[in-house]
Amino acid sequence: MPFENLSIHLAEPISLDERDLIDKIVRRRRGGFCYELNGAFALLLEALGAQVSLVAARVYGEAGLGPPFDHLALIVRAADGSGPWLADVGFGSHSDYPLRLDARGDQDDPAGRFQLADTEAGDIDVLKDGKPQYRLETRERSLADCTPTRSAPGTRPAASISCWPTASRPSGRCPGRRGC
């Protein structure tokens, strides 16, 4: 699933309705940004019998942490009972495979070395190659919770998601996986 922000630049309405997510990403073969991609991925995982919690995150930038709901990720318990896992298909440069949410040591992945670190407030910092990527809340959310902020990336001039039209997909680092 490609990460893209083209709807923002084309002034297309952005809907987090389940039918609209499936239509855009599956039927029209488009990508989206984190709310759309992780929202659609959650629907797929739930259809496969997984228990999925949507969780908000704040992205680290040059000036520190971004605003609440700057990002959306998934906490997953697979149908076989394994987990919990941090799954995130909507964060540009993230792990290729789910990260073990309850592990605090290094987690090696083809995309880099990841660590999860507890914060004093009970959140979890996600680091890639030692650099903080985002701070994950552990409180479950819904896509409806994202509605007031989903347009924020397109309305904040300094937001990297809205500065330039972007469309990307994984390539060159996922041997043995189709479509890369």
Side-chain angles (χ1 to χ4, degrees):
M1 293 189 296
F3 177 89
E4 54 113 308
N5 65 357
L6 301 178
S7 293
I8 293 170
H9 297 280
L10 296 172
E12 296 175 346
I14 296 169
S15 171
L16 299 181
D17 177 80
E18 293 178 3
R19 286 172 292 180
D20 293 338
L21 291 175
I22 299 303
D23 177 65
K24 180 180 180 183
I25 294 169
V26 177
R27 192 185 67 73
R28 293 189 291 147
R29 301 175 58 96
R30 289 273 308 272
F33 59 100
C34 65
Y35 306 125
E36 297 169 301
L37 295 176
N38 281 323
F41 192 47
L43 295 172
L44 170 65
L45 293 170
E46 289 170 342
L48 295 172
Q51 295 176 333
V52 181
S53 297
L54 285 72
V55 292
R58 299 174 65 192
V59 177
Y60 278 96
E62 291 180 20
L65 280 171
F69 280 101
D70 204 21
H71 183 60
L72 182 76
L74 307 175
I75 296 175
V76 180
R77 285 200 181 273
D80 65 6
S82 66
W85 302 97
L86 170 60
D88 192 344
V89 297
F91 190 73
S93 178
H94 193 64
S95 63
D96 288 349
Y97 300 104
L99 300 174
R100 187 72 195 193
L101 189 67
D102 55 4
R104 293 299 178 264
D106 290 344
Q107 297 187 55
D108 289 325
D109 182 87
R113 177 167 284 162
F114 291 83
Q115 301 89 25
L116 303 180
D118 296 316
T119 69
E120 289 183 16
D123 297 332
I124 300 170
D125 279 343
V126 178
L127 296 91
K128 176 182 178 185
D129 298 326
K131 181 179 176 192
Q133 301 296 297
Y134 57 82
R135 178 165 289 170
L136 190 70
E137 287 185 359
T138 55
R139 175 179 166 210
E140 185 171 5
R141 301 294 188 152
S142 72
L143 283 176
D145 292 331
C146 302
T147 301
T149 58
R150 76 175 186 276
S151 61
T155 58
R156 289 191 326 249
S160 62
I161 191 173
S162 63
C163 290
W164 304 102
T166 301
S168 65
R169 66 181 184 160
S171 64
R173 59 178 173 88
C174 43
R177 289 174 48 191
R178 294 181 190 175
C180 298

